[in-house]
Amino acid sequence: MNLTKLLQSQGFGTRRECRDLILSGRVEIAGEAMADADADINPEGLRFSVGGQDWQYREKACVMLHKPAGHECSQRPRHHPSVLSLLPIQLRNRGLQTVGRLDEDTTGLLLLTDDGQFLHRYTSPKKNIAKVYRATVRHPLTEEQLNALRSGVVLHDDPEPVAAQSAIARDAHTLELTLTGGKYHQVKRMVAAAGNRVEALHRERMGEFVLPAELKPGEWCYVEPDNAA
Ligand code: URA
């Protein structure tokens, strides 16, 4: 692959900007400056550095972000900064999109990708991707509430009851809820319909991905989706 195109595909700017980066001698491969903007490079497994920062070539990028509160999952946020502002410019330039959405005040695991197939696989209702939430609730949880969540509650925009895959009380005010759907404000509305109220919401897992304890709010890491899943 042409080196200029390669850098462009990795989010380093326009063709012109990538060319200028190379000609300035700031792009290195295997420790050597590559000043030929048209050099033919095999991208597979390629590691390179730009301005002293190391990168790995990725045909598609998929990242896991520990979403902090006070950020919107929107390209054009209205009241709070976008979650995209937490990622480096190179990833933003690649046009990463959030895999589903979390509310502005919800924290936890959020995936972002420029891989259309992965995005579809993870957001299609047919795929039944399980999402595990930890909700802190205002009133002590009751067996009736848990049973209502398990057997299904009616939300006002849908005549069919919506059921959780599982609803477990971790303690009197902490609910672990596993859902496969992705309706707007689904956890908050289901908990309200069951007679309680969500005070804080955190997503711990989505499909094969679990938020690692060492990934702090606002931090992100690359993930490699299991394409066979
Ligand atoms: N359900 C909600 O109510 N809010 C979220 O952010 C995610 C799921």
Side-chain angles (χ1 to χ4, degrees):
M1 186 188 269
N2 171 283
L3 182 56
T4 304
K5 276 199 185 146
L6 188 151
L7 283 189
Q8 211 184 346
S9 74
Q10 302 301 290
F12 285 89
T14 61
R15 199 172 161 73
R16 178 70 195 264
E17 286 163 343
C18 291
R19 237 187 134 71
D20 288 349
L21 260 183
I22 299 165
L23 297 179
S24 71
R26 302 179 73 219
V27 179
E28 291 185 4
I29 295 179
E32 280 195 29
M34 292 291 295
D36 176 2
D38 293 315
D40 189 20
I41 307 288
N42 177 4
E44 213 170 300
L46 179 73
R47 290 175 183 276
F48 59 99
S49 77
V50 179
Q53 192 180 353
D54 292 334
W55 293 88
Q56 184 187 324
Y57 173 84
R58 287 185 158 84
E59 188 182 349
K60 300 287 179 201
C62 188
V63 305
M64 180 194 290
L65 170 71
H66 185 158
K67 180 190 174 295
H71 286 75
E72 293 180 26
C73 288
S74 165
Q75 308 268 358
R76 276 174 231 89
R78 294 171 58 173
H79 304 292
H80 301 272
S82 166
V83 288
L84 291 161
S85 68
L86 299 165
L87 300 179
I89 183 76
Q90 290 80 359
L91 288 175
R92 301 208 300 272
N93 284 344
R94 289 182 70 143
L96 258 65
Q97 296 185 43
T98 64
V99 181
R101 289 184 173 213
L102 291 176
D103 297 336
E104 170 274 314
D105 56 353
T106 301
T107 59
L109 190 160
L110 181 69
L111 298 170
L112 299 103
T113 189
D114 61 358
D115 181 340
Q117 277 183 5
F118 175 76
L119 184 67
H120 178 257
R121 182 149 53 88
Y122 258 66
T123 49
S124 163
K126 289 194 198 122
K127 303 285 179 179
N128 283 331
I129 298 287
K131 294 151 211 136
V132 180
Y133 294 92
R134 184 184 71 224
T136 308
V137 295
R138 179 176 294 180
H139 311 291
L141 288 158
T142 64
E143 226 17 78
E144 290 72 36
Q145 290 168 9
L146 296 170
N147 285 333
L149 291 165
R150 290 172 193 136
S151 56
V153 290
V154 177
L155 305 177
H156 58 69
D157 59 351
D158 196 342
E160 289 293 311
V162 182
Q165 203 176 66
S166 83
I168 298 164
R170 287 191 185 165
D171 63 41
H173 288 272
T174 310
L175 170 68
E176 179 192 303
L177 202 62
T178 304
L179 304 181
T180 51
K183 290 175 184 292
Y184 181 65
H185 292 331
Q186 187 167 344
V187 175
K188 291 173 185 166
R189 292 195 297 146
M190 285 179 73
V191 170
N196 209 321
R197 188 185 162 88
V198 171
E199 305 255 300
L201 187 58
H202 180 81
R203 184 157 65 194
E204 297 182 338
R205 183 161 83 78
M206 189 167 177
E208 73 205 81
F209 300 102
V210 179
L211 190 69
E214 62 275 13
L215 198 68
K216 302 299 174 209
E219 292 181 352
W220 64 276
C221 62
Y222 286 104
V223 290
E224 306 295 339
D226 173 3
N227 287 323

